[in-house]
Amino acid sequence: MKQIKIKISPDGRIEAETFGMKGKQCLKYIAEMERLANAVCDDSEFTKEYYETPEILTQETEQEVTA
């Protein structure tokens, strides 16, 4: 399950950490967090999950075609 943990300090500083997002999946949430907080990201660090390969779900389908 994908999650984002958000911490807001008394001085207004916002910290966010992602969980359950492997590879670059977490990066697409930066712009959304900036929009929601009306803020700009000034620093970031990658979690160990960033360096893991994301799981890709595939589905194979066989269908018989008759004329």
Side-chain angles (χ1 to χ4, degrees), residues 1 8 11 16 25 28 30 45 47 53 57 60 64 67:
M1 176 178 11
I8 303 173
D11 65 358
Q25 294 176 349
K28 67 181 180 181
I30 292 174
E45 296 177 14
T47 64
T53 303
L57 300 177
E60 294 182 27
E64 186 176 323

Side-chain angles (χ1 to χ4, degrees), residues 3-53:
Q3 296 180 331
I4 300 174
K5 178 181 175 181
I6 300 169
K7 179 181 173 183
I8 303 173
S9 300
D11 65 358
R13 180 181 166 95
I14 301 170
E15 295 181 28
E17 184 175 358
T18 60
F19 299 93
M21 298 179 208
K22 296 183 180 184
K24 296 181 180 181
Q25 294 176 349
C26 60
L27 298 178
K28 67 181 180 181
Y29 293 95
I30 292 174
E32 187 62 22
M33 289 295 302
E34 289 177 327
R35 185 186 70 76
L36 290 171
N38 193 27
V40 176
C41 178
D42 65 357
D43 187 29
S44 63
E45 296 177 14
F46 296 128
T47 64
K48 68 177 185 173
E49 288 181 312
Y50 177 83
Y51 300 101
E52 295 178 11
T53 303

